[in-house]
Each structure stands twice: as structure tokens, then as C-alpha cells.
Amino acid sequence: MLRTLSKLILIVTLISIFLVPLCFLVLFSVSANWWWPELFPGKFGLEPWFRIFNQPQIKAALWTTLWIGFLVIMLNLILALPIAKALAHLDFKGKSIIDTVFMLPILIPTMGIAMGLHITMIKYGLADSWVGVVLIHLLPTLPYSIRILRTAFEDLGVKWEEQARSLGASGITLLRTLWLPLILPSIRAIIFLTFIISMSQYILTVIIGGGKVVTLALVYFPYFNSSNPGAIAVLSIIFALLPLLIMGLWELIIRILFPVKKLKS
Amino acid sequence: MDINVLECHSLKKDYTRSVVFQDINISIKKGEILSLLGPSGCGKTTLLRCIAGLEQVSAGRILLNKTNVTTARAEVRNIVMMFQEPLLFPHLDVFENIVYGPKIRGESKGEILKKGQYMLEIIEMLEHSKKYPFELSGGQQQRVALARALILEPELILLDEPFSNLDPELRDSTRNWVRKILKEKGTAGCFVTHDKEEAMLMGDNLAILMEGRIQQIGSPMEVYQFPENRLVAEFFSEGLVLNNEEFVPVSKLEIISEDESNIDSQFEVLEGIILEKWMKVGQVMHRLYVPKLAAEIVVMVKKDLIPNDNVKIHYKRKDIQKLGGELC
């Protein structure tokens, strides 16, 4: 009885929190005009979608978001892999200090660091450029990536590596044949998380990009001030679908790289 | 002429505060299996890891087929180590696990296929080649691990208690099987264990590592019958250690109940208490405590004695053996 009740509460909550708003979003995006107090839209149509995709600014922002997101993911992986490996499996002086330094960006408000970095970036000509934006997006993402990978490396331990080394593997071979397949689930998590964090950055992108680097978030948020619910709905859906698109691409790449590999997870 | 595949000269390993082992001198000939026996925590695994190249020794030299490999990395030494766990790579199936080594060496596809197939035949697991490690039993996993090691035709294979996770029956059969395969292939092996019987069964030679040093090295029978010092006698040879120099093998002891007496003057007598008894291979075994020597010993007694009985232990003076070899 209690179990049925709690199940019911769960289902109702899930529906009211996720499904209902999502339905509204979709409805808004395909309704030409829907004003209060009408219960249903007076007219359906894809005008909001056309309106959004007809704006070159939005299309450009979409590509910028994807491009920056891709680079941030790549940099995260390239940097987090060796750092996390070292933190997990090596003992060296100052390990705890380095560990703390890599965690600082999520302990201290990012704004503070970003302001300081802005000045440095102006000095090196990185402000107002996508390179600068990519670099600043590392602040809210890299600490998480390092933490995720470090836990994965710690869980796996060094025994597999020792066995593989004893069988003759080293360096890149070790990474390709052993570590990458074993930490694949963590890499998937990093890609997803990093992309979502990167595409959601507003303030950091505005400060460092100086308004010249326009990502989807920069276009999306000001729309909330507009009186166009259809456009907001379309942008919201694009916003929600982008990470799924990235995930799909990743799964596709994995299937191509490791065909019919059954992973024990 | 027998060639030494492995030679260790004066190996030493220490950390800032403690010495793990020192003065280690061992050699293994082609096709020979050396059992390295010692109590838990005596440093035998560390020694094996140093030979494998997974750790560096603090002093001494390791020669592999006369080549100095003391500072060489594990991946370039032609030595394969098998650990306590089979450590099969979970993302690869049985066949891919077996051919892992040849594949990263960049051997041709045809060669890899041929070798892999041959190894599958040897370990009698042809029908399991597409299975993943988690679908195999413990014994099967160890067999795959052995195939994965042997396919590289290493000069030396190091076995770090690879059977300790198997249940007793499987352990016996897997051990016999591993020994048979190593002998067939003529691969030299160093087998680490803390199990005395296993060490005797597996090794052509046996080295006892205790308190950071090799206490004795020789054929299992030799070491068992003629322990060189008190440590070896107490740990490996069954019998009574009378003092630092003298030892009586268990086969020379006679146990009689308290009321019987033997007044023959050539007998020495010690008092004992029965602690427990059980059956083994059709015989009644008794564990005795000898208060004077503060020692425990397992003996076979025909008479039926019960725990807490006081007994007398008789032995002839001429049966006292000098630790280090000769009889007294």
C-alpha cells in the first residue's frame, strides 16, 4: 500500500516537474498565437522555428557554441587525463597542494578569478577571442573532469597497468589498449557534463568574449525579456537537445572505434 | 650445459626506515621451477616485483640470460608476471586477452591468429574463445592468464601465489596443470607461496625467504630433511627444534602415554600435552604442545589419545640432527 502510494507520488512529481513543462514548451514552439485565457493555441504552425532559424545571428551562435564546446571537451580530456592519473597513482611532494589548486575554481566564486584572468588575457591578446572563451570555460569544467577521472583511476588501481606492462605495454599503447577502454564510462560523463557547463556559461563568455564571441547562451538569455514565448520555447528546445546531440555523436564514434565491444559495466 | 636464465646477485631492497630483503642470491636454470617460500610479509612478493621490473632494487644486479636488466623497465624485460588475481582485461574476450602481448608487439595478423589458436588448444578452452572474463570460473581465468603469459614465450615466468584464490580441489588440478605446461614448454619459473606443500609440489628447487634473507636453497627434500638453521627447521621441516644447533625430525619421535615407560638409557624424554586430534589419510593426527621447548608439533600416533592427555616424547640421542647438515 505504502509502496504503491510512494510510487504514485513519484510518478505525479515526475510528470508535473518534467513532462508538463516539456509539453508546454513543445506546444509553445508550434503555436502561432496562444494568449491567455485560451486553453489551447488558436493556431498551430512552425513559424517560431522558421523565425529562429532565419536569423543568421542564431545560426552563427549555434556553430560557435558547438565549436567552443568541442574544444573545451578536448582540452578537458587532454589536461585531466594526465593530471588525474598522477593524482591517483603517484606519490609526490606537494600532492595535496596541487590537488587543492585544481579544486579552487569550484570553491572560489569564478567571477573573482575571471576578473583577474581578464586583465591577463587583455595583456596577451586573448580577450574578445574564442580562444580566450575556450580557456575561461576550463575554469568551471576542469575541476570536475579531474575529480571524475581521478576517482575512476583510483577505483581501478595500478594492478591492470602492472599486468599490461609485464606483458610489454607502455606509454601510448598502455593508454590506448588499457586505460581508455577501462575509463570509457567516466569519459562519457565528462563529455556530457563539460558540454552542458560550457554551453550554459553566460557571464564568463560575456566578460572574456567581450560581446564579440556570441554563443547560444548569449542569444538565448536576452530573449527572456522579449514577449515572444514561441521563440523562447524553440531556443529552449535547441538548448536541451544540443547535449543529446553531442552524446549521440560520441556513441557513434565509440561504436565505430570499438565495433561490437561488449563492455562490462 | 645448463644455462642460468636468471641470476640475482646480492639484491637488496630498503625503504627509508626498513630493509625488505638483502643479500639475495638466487639463480634459475632453463626449464627449472624455483619455489620461493616464506611466511606472509617476508618480502617475497616485493622480490618478485623487483625481478619483474615493477619495482627497483636498492642494490645488487639482476641478470636475465647474462644480460644486466637491473634498471630495465618491466615492459622491456622478457619476463611475465602472473599475479594473485588473474587480472584478465575485462574489455577483451578470451582470445583477445591471450593475444594481447603479440598484438602490441605488432606481430602479423596471421601469426597472432595461429599462436592464439594454439594457446587456446593448450589450455583446452577453444570453445570459450569469445567469452568475456566475467563469464569464466576462477580456474578458467587463471588458465587464460597463463596462456596470455606463455604466448610471449618469456625467458622467465613469475607466479605470485596464483592459486590462492581457488578452492582446494581446483587449486590442486590447476597447479598440476600449470606445472605440466611449464615443463612441456621448458619455461623457467619462479613460484612464490606461503604454502609449504604447494612449494614442494611445484618447485624443482626451493628457497626459503625469512627475515629478509634467503635462509636455505636446495631441492625440497634436501631442505626438508636437512634444515640449515633454526628458522628453516621451525618453519619448514617438521620436527622438534631442541636448541639453536639441534633438531629431531618428526619421523624419529616416538609418542607414548604417561603410564607407559621406557627406561632404555639411549632415549631422551620430553613431556607433552595433546592439544587436538583429527584424521588424515587414514591416520590419527595429534597436535602436541611441548612445554619445555614452548613448541607445537603435529605427530601421527597409532594409539588413541585424547586432548589434554599428558604424553612422553621419546627420541634416540643418535637421531638428533645438527642444524646445518650432519647427524650428531
Side-chain angles (χ1 to χ4, degrees), chain A residues 167-211:
Chain A
L167 293 164
S170 62
I172 292 290
T173 319
L174 207 54
L175 181 72
R176 185 173 54 80
T177 60
L178 183 81
W179 284 121
L180 279 184
L182 288 183
I183 57 170
L184 218 51
S186 302
I187 291 184
R188 178 184 293 138
I190 287 175
I191 289 178
F192 201 58
L193 193 70
T194 302
F195 188 75
I196 288 184
I197 296 178
S198 164
M199 68 177 273
S200 312
Q201 292 307 313
Y202 183 82
I203 294 293
L204 285 183
T205 314
V206 169
I207 293 174
I208 304 296

Side-chain angles (χ1 to χ4, degrees), chain A residues 156 158-171 173-182 258-265, chain B residues 49 52-54 73-77 79-83 85-92 96 100-101 104-105 132 134-135 148-149 152:
Chain A
L156 288 162
V158 289
K159 54 187 184 179
W160 303 104
E161 179 172 325
E162 288 184 340
Q163 180 66 81
R165 279 178 58 203
S166 184
L167 293 164
S170 62
T173 319
L174 207 54
L175 181 72
R176 185 173 54 80
T177 60
L178 183 81
W179 284 121
L180 279 184
L182 288 183
F258 304 94
V260 282
K261 268 288 138 67
K262 191 154 67 174
L263 289 170
K264 186 195 165 199
S265 60
Chain B
R49 291 172 58 83
L54 295 170
R73 283 170 295 129
E75 50 269 31
V76 297
R77 297 186 191 190
I79 300 177
V80 179
M81 180 148 170
M82 275 178 72
F83 297 82
E85 295 169 71
L87 293 180
L88 298 182
F89 304 126
H91 57 291
L92 302 177
E96 290 166 326
Y100 182 83
I104 54 175
R105 277 187 185 175
Y132 279 82
F134 68 94
E135 297 173 274
R148 184 178 60 178
L152 289 167

